Amino acid sequence: MPETTADGYGFLNKQKFKAGFAADTSNKFGSFLRGSRVPVSMAAIGARVTKAAWKVKPSWLVLAKENGAIDPKLLRRMARRIGANTMESKGSHVVFLTPPKAVANVIKKAAIGAMSAN
């Protein structure tokens, strides 16, 4: 969970970031990723969604099996709930950086699938 500042913005804990977010990256790259994060408005996390796109649009998920930021079991449940086309891959939360070809293939399938759905 982010550490919240008095003005309502959340920052990821510097000491825990790499293990939870980018465990399969080098220390140098993990440090870069941590340093390049922008704060998130914690109010946005609690905002109510009134129209969920997954109810009317196809969804895809690349599930990182070693994700330390979001439990893969939770991601699987969410994917089943929304009917997402799911591909599991070894990797951390930044799975799009560590096996990029696998992720690129899913993006390509999603683009083709989205075009055929319209």
Side-chain angles (χ1 to χ4, degrees), residues 67-79:
N67 192 331
I70 304 172
D71 187 334
K73 291 180 214 167
L74 174 62
L75 292 171
R76 283 185 195 97
R77 281 196 305 269
M78 291 179 0

Side-chain angles (χ1 to χ4, degrees), residues 11-23 25 29-37 68-69 93-94:
F11 292 85
L12 298 174
N13 179 290
K14 192 172 189 172
Q15 286 70 37
K16 297 177 183 176
F17 177 83
K18 187 170 181 316
F21 197 81
T25 65
F29 196 63
S31 180
F32 165 77
L33 288 171
R34 166 57 178 90
S36 64
R37 305 301 305 164
H93 190 71
V94 292

Side-chain angles (χ1 to χ4, degrees), residues 25-88:
T25 65
S26 68
N27 287 338
K28 184 176 179 180
F29 196 63
S31 180
F32 165 77
L33 288 171
R34 166 57 178 90
S36 64
R37 305 301 305 164
V38 295
V40 62
S41 168
M42 298 305 287
I45 292 174
R48 184 174 178 91
V49 176
T50 57
K51 293 183 181 182
W54 60 264
K55 289 184 177 184
V56 295
K57 295 183 180 191
S59 299
W60 285 262
L61 170 70
V62 178
L63 192 143
K65 292 191 274 187
E66 288 111 23
N67 192 331
I70 304 172
D71 187 334
K73 291 180 214 167
L74 174 62
L75 292 171
R76 283 185 195 97
R77 281 196 305 269
M78 291 179 0
R80 278 192 302 273
R81 179 178 178 207
I82 69 171
N85 297 287
T86 305
M87 188 277 289
E88 294 197 15

Side-chain angles (χ1 to χ4, degrees), residues 105-118:
N105 286 336
V106 172
I107 292 169
K108 183 177 178 181
K109 288 178 186 176
I112 292 168
M115 287 177 10
S116 65
N118 289 329

